[in-house]
Amino acid sequence: AIDPEFEDTYTEVDRHDGHRVWTPDGEETTQEKQGIHGTHVAVDFDICLADGACLEDCPVDVFEWVDTPGHPESEIKADPAHEDQCIDCMLCVDVCPVDAIDVDPS
Ligand code: SF4
Ligand code: F3S
Ligand code: ZN
């Protein structure tokens, strides 16, 4: 599962489409190690296997697919492209089968 303390244990290494990207070791992301995308709505790309329930169920369309060719779990990921629109319903956290998503209610 995603580390809920990632804001303390991970390092911000990049910004991408308006949100942060974090890795556990502070190293740049690679094809095989994509890190966590987002902050308020965070998706661990290295756990996401493209189930898609988060995209289907989010009432305000926070997520968009992005391509991650060569990643061992899946070659698309649910990117929290509109995390600023999140209404903290927690549905995505509940439906993800691999607990790849962490939402910090504000
Ligand atoms: Fe969407 Fe609700 Fe998840 Fe926020 S908590 S990203 S509103 S499903
Ligand atoms: Fe990925 Fe979980 Fe969504 S596996 S596509 S974050 S439901
Ligand atoms: Zn992203």
Side-chain angles (χ1 to χ4, degrees), residues 31-92:
Q31 276 195 335
E32 293 81 21
K33 285 180 59 184
Q34 295 277 335
I36 290 176
H37 285 231
T39 306
H40 179 78
V41 179
V43 180
D44 191 326
F45 274 23
D46 295 313
I47 297 175
C48 173
L49 38 65
D51 176 83
C54 57
L55 273 95
E56 283 170 28
D57 289 0
C58 177
V60 292
D61 296 332
V62 162
F63 304 98
E64 286 183 11
W65 291 121
V66 296
D67 293 324
T68 55
H71 191 272
E73 294 295 339
S74 60
E75 299 207 325
I76 54 173
K77 305 291 179 185
D79 205 24
H82 311 287
E83 65 175 350
D84 53 321
Q85 293 174 22
C86 174
I87 57 171
D88 298 337
C89 73
M90 306 308 273
L91 259 178
C92 59

Side-chain angles (χ1 to χ4, degrees), residues 16-17 19-21 37-38 45 66 79-80:
H16 147 100
D17 289 347
H19 57 264
R20 294 180 168 88
V21 180
H37 285 231
F45 274 23
V66 296
D79 205 24

